[in-house]
Amino acid sequence: MTKKTVSDIDVQGKKAFVRVDFNVPLSSKDPNANITVTDDTRIRAALPTLNYLLDHGAALILASHLGRPKTAEDRQFSMAPVAKKLEEVLGRPVRYVPEVMSEAVKAAAAALQPGDVLLLENTRFDPREKKNDPQLGADFASLADVYVDDAFGSAHRPDASVDGAAYAMRAKGGPAVAGFLMGQEISALGIAVDNPPRPYVAIMGGAKISDKIKLIENLLDKADKILIGGGMANTFLKAQGHNLGRSLVEEEALPEAKRLLEMSADRLILPVDVVVAAEVSNDAPSEVEMVWAISPDKMALDIGPATVERFNAELQGAQLVVWNGPMGVFETPQFANGTNQLAQMLAGMVDHGAKVIIGGGDSAAAVRKAGLTDKMTHVSTGGGASLELLEGRQLPGVVALDDK
Ligand code: ADP
Ligand code: MG
């Protein structure tokens, strides 16, 4: 799964169509308000690719989706505030055409000189984007000489700006390559999929098993052990015959949980103790209970200290750890200890040469909250995309790019 990136091609004097991820949070949902970008992390994250292209003599045509507009009338999802923020962050003028594809867009792209930047309107304003309409893809490709995808978070969606545009560029003989962000995601997550160093331990948590059965199956296939915590563990524990009180349990997923337990023999490690409370609140009194003695009126909301110890022991010597899903209801500090202690343990392992990869939106948020993002080998920016890749699926946005 090695793909060409912008540094593998010649971009001097070329126009680059760059699919970026500028799906940023906005200050208001009111189309008549003065809407601003409230967090520019994703715009800044694109800078290495954008500056590389500009420094090497390219002109840029940038396209992204933003939010979930139903039609182009949903002006609250316009890219106008993004254009303003991008200008500030990039430190150079940004031309913005409030249309996805039109004669005005084609004229603006045709007029670009090296170093110029053009931002198109929210790709989802055009209903053909989500349908991967070949004409829209071809029109995107016709604006430029090279196609660059730096939007890993959209790589699992076969949209026109992700999929069709890349193939249309190849059809006319131009390169379709990854930006640096995309390149990093592909190589970091690729380690877990293609050729994992061993021992390889996967850690799974989060709310539900049903979302992640495919992922658990694929990890059972690839990893040496899987440690399970969070709400997901409850369903496994119930399947083993424990009483889970009022905990979140997916009754419908019990047969699947039993099947996975039978399949995995001793490679699936479950909690031995949990932190329980009567409600999800910092003020609710909490206790540690063994999994075979959970009070009928309580909920398991975090893994307990003996489980943290057990997981620690299982992680000793691991060369690769992939973690998806918090160990408890980490949004409430009282139930964030298991998640935080695990994050600390993993940060320590990175110091000793292990590779630690975090996938999933909430997991990335938990690691960020613990202040340990920079300590990990890789924290994926693509929630759904990272999970689909770890499931062993081929992502359309990755497949579409030129192999190295
Ligand atoms: P990710 O986004 O990293 O893939 P998920 O979306 O699967 O993770 O799960 C995150 C959610 O799981 C969090 O909102 C967290 O509160 C919830 N969760 C974790 N443990 C429990 C639990 N014991 N009971 C209920 N919810 C839980
Ligand atoms: Mg989530």
Side-chain angles (χ1 to χ4, degrees):
M1 202 167 43
T2 34
K3 295 288 176 178
K4 282 191 182 162
T5 72
V6 285
S7 53
D8 295 316
I9 57 167
D10 176 25
V11 298
Q12 180 66 43
K14 305 264 171 75
K15 288 178 187 147
F17 179 92
V18 190
R19 177 50 161 98
V20 285
D21 179 2
F22 287 171
N23 185 23
V24 290
L26 300 172
S27 61
S28 171
K29 291 192 172 86
D30 173 3
N32 299 314
N34 174 28
I35 300 179
T36 54
V37 173
T38 53
D39 180 347
D40 62 7
T41 308
R42 286 188 168 155
I43 299 177
R44 289 184 187 281
L47 286 183
T49 300
L50 303 187
N51 282 329
Y52 177 91
L53 290 167
L54 292 167
D55 292 347
H56 287 77
L60 308 182
I61 299 141
L62 308 180
S64 174
H65 78 277
L66 174 57
R68 293 170 189 267
K70 290 203 182 66
T71 73
E73 308 304 308
D74 292 341
R75 298 309 300 177
Q76 69 271 30
F77 295 112
S78 160
M79 296 299 275
V82 177
K84 224 171 165 183
K85 184 51 104 182
L86 176 62
E87 226 166 39
E88 198 182 301
V89 168
L90 206 53
R92 57 170 93 207
V94 171
R95 300 175 199 191
Y96 155 68
V97 184
E99 285 161 359
V100 181
M101 186 48 64
S102 65
E103 288 312 313
V105 165
K106 290 178 186 171
L112 293 176
Q113 296 299 315
D116 287 350
V117 181
L118 169 67
L119 177 66
L120 306 185
E121 188 48 284
N122 188 343
T123 52
R124 287 190 182 166
F125 278 7
D126 191 321
R128 297 175 300 168
E129 163 76 343
K130 298 259 17 132
K131 293 181 186 144
N132 198 8
D133 179 277
Q135 186 59 53
L136 182 59
D139 282 348
F140 282 142
S142 77
L143 303 177
D145 311 298
V146 304
Y147 173 87
V148 178
D149 191 349
D150 215 13
F152 179 70
S154 297
H156 57 317
R157 301 196 176 103
D159 296 344
S161 65
V162 172
D163 185 76
Y167 283 103
M169 180 59 75
R170 295 242 289 265
K172 66 173 205 171
V177 301
F180 292 125
L181 272 183
M182 181 77 146
Q184 271 164 21
E185 294 277 4
I186 294 173
S187 57
L189 295 166
I191 293 173
V193 179
D194 291 337
N195 194 11
R198 298 187 181 277
Y200 166 17
V201 178
I203 308 170
M204 298 277 308
K208 291 182 171 179
I209 293 191
S210 52
D211 299 341
K212 296 186 177 169
I213 287 173
K214 278 246 157 55
L215 182 57
I216 302 173
E217 272 181 345
N218 193 51
L219 291 175
L220 268 174
D221 199 36
K222 294 259 159 63
D224 298 297
K225 290 246 161 93
I226 305 190
L227 318 181
I228 305 233
M232 170 187 290
N234 298 343
T235 306
F236 281 109
L237 290 167
K238 176 117 191 205
Q240 283 187 329
H242 296 297
N243 197 324
L244 270 292
R246 289 171 45 241
S247 309
L248 173 75
V249 171
E250 284 179 283
E251 298 289 340
E252 0 32 276
L254 283 173
E256 280 291 346
K258 281 196 182 118
R259 185 177 64 84
L260 290 168
L261 283 168
E262 277 161 21
M263 215 171 104
S264 65
D266 54 347
R267 294 192 300 127
L268 223 156
I269 314 289
L270 294 174
V272 288
D273 62 347
V274 286
V275 177
V276 301
E279 43 182 320
V280 184
S281 147
N282 261 332
D283 309 323
S286 73
E287 282 164 273
V288 174
E289 291 182 339
M290 300 313 282
V291 295
W292 52 85
I294 294 173
S295 307
D297 56 338
K298 298 274 172 69
M299 292 181 278
L301 299 169
D302 194 7
I303 54 173
T307 303
V308 172
E309 279 289 307
R310 172 86 207 268
F311 285 6
N312 191 16
E314 293 290 349
L315 285 164
Q316 291 311 309
Q319 292 301 305
L320 173 66
V321 180
V322 170
W323 179 17
N324 166 255
M327 295 291 102
V329 183
F330 74 99
E331 297 92 337
T332 307
Q334 167 157 242
F335 309 112
N337 289 331
T339 301
N340 289 338
Q341 284 167 358
L342 184 65
Q344 289 289 355
M345 256 148 48
L346 297 180
M349 291 177 67
V350 175
D351 284 339
H352 289 92
K355 289 194 161 63
V356 175
I357 294 164
I358 317 288
D362 290 291
S363 310
V367 171
R368 203 177 318 122
K369 224 171 158 183
L372 293 170
T373 301
D374 295 339
K375 288 291 220 164
M376 304 301 173
T377 311
H378 183 72
V379 180
S380 178
T381 54
S386 62
L387 300 191
E388 287 199 18
L389 210 148
L390 291 171
E391 278 172 16
R393 290 202 215 194
Q394 304 280 341
L395 307 190
V398 176
V399 174
L401 303 177
D402 296 344
D403 290 320
K404 211 162 183 159

